[in-house]
Amino acid sequence: MTGRLMLLDTASLYFRAYFGVPDSVRAPDGTPVNAVRGLLDFIDRLVKDHRPDELVACMDADWRPQWRVDLIPSYKAHRVAEEHEGAPDAEEVPDTLSPQVPVIEEVLDALGIARVGVAGYEADDVIGTFTARADGPVDIVTGDRDLYQLVDDARGVRVLYPLKGVGTLQLTDEAWLREKYGVDGRGYADLALLRGDPSDGLPGVAGVGEKTAAKLLAEFGDLAGIVAAVDDPKAKLTPTQRKRLTEAAPYLAVAPKVVRVAGDVPLPEVDTALPHAPRDPAALDALAARWGLGGSLQRLLTTLEA
């Protein structure tokens, strides 16, 4: 991968499409296809505006990996709809979105857009591994701030964060991160685990919010520096900070592995080149007719051909 690589946090985008496109957008049989058509419109706009050479739709093969849960049991626990013995738990997903996900997968496959999910890993981990392997610039498209940790100006890695659809994107680079959070990409994961994240079930350190976390990282460099400072009586920590960090020591010992995206996922061999024609035109025609994909699909095909 040496050209401009675009990595889609696919679930993040189809959730946004689902909530951003009216559910009156339906297939001929009345089934809602707002997430399907919305995602196709998103991809069309992204390809038009950013002209990637390679494109990968990264998937959650496991949205709540057991190895993360073993370290922090509260990880995404509030989003579990149904527990499954020996298999990934079911995530709470709107009733009319779940049936659209297999359609999205079939359409992407018929188009020839690389679609990658790896058992035991989240899409974030797939994105992290593709990013680590890339030799050229990388655009990560996600509505998940966790992936700010991958931003790296020296390697041309940035996050395109949708503010309104994908027509208005926040181009997140190191300058933006420093201005907003006081850290660079490498420091963002440490800041995130210190402050915690209720949406992911991460408790953080009691009494340490975003500003305090940024100050501690500015003072001590990184999480390892902060942990070392707790045992250094000369370190510039208030008694309350020292006490709270001491109490949080068991959490701080495991949180980095949970919060930091994996960079060593065993990725399958896939053709990541942006397709210029459908891989399976007959299957795509059948899907377009069955689900009434109309203008959304045609616009994307025209953009890919160009």
Side-chain angles (χ1 to χ4, degrees):
M1 296 175 290
T2 56
R4 178 168 292 280
L5 170 65
M6 177 172 281
L7 300 170
L8 307 182
D9 182 1
T10 313
S12 167
L13 295 179
Y14 65 60
F15 264 91
R16 281 177 177 254
Y18 175 80
F19 288 108
V21 177
D23 67 2
S24 57
V25 176
R26 294 176 178 252
D29 67 357
T31 304
V33 289
N34 51 332
V36 182
R37 291 192 59 162
L39 181 64
L40 293 174
D41 287 336
F42 281 179
I43 295 173
D44 173 55
R45 183 65 184 267
L46 288 164
V47 172
K48 274 180 183 167
D49 289 353
H50 300 282
R51 298 293 173 185
D53 301 295
E54 300 166 277
L55 178 68
V56 183
C58 301
M59 313 295 290
D60 283 317
D62 189 342
W63 68 280
R64 188 175 181 248
Q66 189 60 45
W67 57 271
R68 282 192 165 105
V69 177
D70 289 342
L71 294 169
I72 299 180
S74 62
Y75 182 66
K76 295 186 178 180
H78 61 295
R79 285 154 57 182
V80 174
E82 188 178 345
E83 294 185 358
H84 293 159
E85 189 69 34
D89 292 333
E91 184 179 12
E92 201 168 76
V93 176
D95 291 344
T96 55
L97 173 56
S98 295
Q100 296 188 57
V101 177
V103 181
I104 287 169
E105 294 175 345
E106 289 180 44
V107 172
L108 292 174
D109 291 349
L111 280 165
I113 291 174
R115 182 173 64 84
V116 179
V118 178
Y121 294 97
E122 299 176 56
D124 287 9
D125 302 311
V126 174
I127 289 169
T129 303
F130 270 114
T131 301
R133 293 186 182 182
D135 291 324
V138 181
D139 286 339
I140 299 165
V141 188
T142 181
D144 183 355
R145 293 182 178 89
D146 291 343
L147 289 167
Y148 287 171
Q149 64 183 276
L150 296 175
V151 169
D152 185 340
D153 287 0
R155 297 189 58 230
V157 180
R158 61 185 184 172
V159 167
L160 309 183
Y161 184 90
L163 298 174
K164 187 177 181 183
V166 293
T168 306
L169 293 169
Q170 171 189 290
L171 303 183
T172 308
D173 58 11
E174 289 186 6
W176 189 92
L177 285 177
R178 288 193 188 95
E179 171 140 358
K180 177 73 173 175
Y181 298 106
V183 296
D184 58 11
R186 290 174 63 87
Y188 186 83
D190 287 346
L191 180 140
L193 68 86
L194 286 165
R195 74 169 179 213
D197 186 349
S199 69
D200 279 344
L202 297 172
V205 177
V208 175
E210 204 164 87
K211 290 182 179 177
T212 301
K215 287 178 182 176
L216 290 170
L217 289 166
E219 177 70 29
F220 302 109
D222 56 16
L223 180 63
I226 294 169
V227 171
V230 173
D231 296 323
D232 179 0
K234 296 179 181 177
K236 295 179 182 177
L237 288 170
T238 69
T240 300
Q241 287 172 342
R242 197 180 299 273
K243 178 175 181 291
R244 285 174 169 165
L245 287 164
T246 300
E247 291 170 347
Y251 164 75
L252 294 176
V254 297
K257 187 170 182 182
V258 174
V259 173
R260 291 173 187 154
V261 302
D264 57 354
V265 174
L267 299 175
E269 290 292 327
V270 290
D271 181 2
T272 60
L274 185 72
H276 297 295
R279 175 185 296 148
D280 190 337
L284 194 60
D285 287 345
L287 288 164
R290 167 73 178 83
W291 299 107
L293 302 182
S296 298
L297 181 58
Q298 285 308 313
R299 283 190 293 273
L300 176 55
L301 286 171
T302 300
T303 297
L304 293 174
E305 286 168 8

